[in-house]
Amino acid sequence: MQKEQQQLKGIVLVLLGAALYSTKAIFAKLIFPYGVDGLTILCLRMLFSLPFYIVILFWYNRKNKVSIAKKDYTDILIAGFFGYYLASYLDFYGLEFISASLERLILFIYPTIVLLFGKILYKRKTYSYQYVAIVITYIGVAIAFQSDLKYYTDNQATVKGAILVFLAAISYAFYLSKSENTIIKIGSIPFTAYSLIFSSIIVIIHYSIVHGLDLFHFPYQVYALSFIIATIATVLPTFIMAEGIKIIGSNNMSIIASIGPILTIFMATYFLKEPFTLQQLLGTILVILGILLISKANIKSKAKR
């Protein structure tokens, strides 16, 4: 009974985390019309979220004794760079050129990349039906991508945006491949806090090189929406999702988090007035189907090991 309750807790946490993450692209799209770019939004997001992570880490370290080895710090730095800096930067940059719905859909294919990283980095066994699932997933993305090409007049920019978000998915998949064991070892709270603090420093340095240090000349709406991204779509879901992964594992998380693209599509249609097309619907169904097949296959594979 206790194990079932823990599994239910993990499922609820992942569902909530996925729902909160789904709002990020929506809020970012609402900020772009005020004349800011993706790097600026990312910098404000990190600046607003940084105090939360510092306080949470201080509070956690007072109550818990966490032993972090040198190798663990290396994994934390890798997570901060690839998972929270590079992936986020490429994602926000790409979001300038494509719809929120397509952005979420492309990001959602990261389990296919995790599968390939597992094969390359850890020599994990893969099966032919997993590659069929990958093909289904990418056909779905291609169909949804065609919908964006019809919606946006600058096809070159749309292609650029899709490539940037795909690179963000690769970066995030690499972070996941390297971090799951470390999260389980040292705990989701210190791992996430240290990773986000490190990535925040990198983002601030990046912004200062590109734009200088002037962050105080934007309309108040930019700061208000950025604060919402920092809290509702960053701080809360990072800890919630990390704790959910700790309980049910990253593969189960992939299955449950499939609600994310659906929520983003509905929110983008309602709040951003993005068109909801049959192509987009078909593409979404195929992507979710492919990811579910891969995730279930991974669960069976783990059960056999």
Side-chain angles (χ1 to χ4, degrees), residues 142-193:
I143 292 172
F145 177 68
Q146 288 295 320
S147 178
D148 255 44
L149 286 177
K150 293 178 180 178
Y151 177 57
Y152 291 98
T153 55
D154 190 346
N155 288 349
Q156 188 174 357
T158 303
V159 172
K160 177 182 178 180
I163 291 173
L164 286 167
V165 176
F166 179 67
L167 292 174
I170 293 175
S171 184
Y172 184 69
F174 180 72
Y175 144 71
L176 279 181
S177 300
K178 295 288 291 181
S179 66
E180 184 175 350
N181 292 334
T182 310
I183 290 175
I184 294 171
K185 182 180 178 181
I186 70 173
S188 61
I189 291 178
F191 180 87
T192 303

Side-chain angles (χ1 to χ4, degrees), residues 16-79:
L16 179 58
L20 294 175
Y21 269 134
S22 299
T23 65
K24 177 206 64 183
I26 307 301
F27 289 121
K29 281 289 190 181
L30 292 173
I31 298 175
F32 285 135
Y34 291 99
V36 299
D37 60 9
L39 179 58
T40 301
I41 297 173
L42 178 60
C43 188
L44 288 171
R45 173 202 197 194
M46 292 312 217
L47 281 173
F48 283 129
S49 61
L50 184 59
F52 289 97
Y53 291 113
I54 293 173
V55 170
I56 290 170
L57 183 61
F58 179 76
W59 168 81
Y60 185 86
N61 285 338
R62 286 188 63 186
K63 293 181 175 291
N64 302 273
K65 291 184 178 180
V66 181
S67 178
I68 302 179
K70 288 183 179 179
K71 184 182 181 301
D72 297 331
Y73 277 116
T74 301
D75 290 338
I76 288 169
L77 294 178
I78 290 172

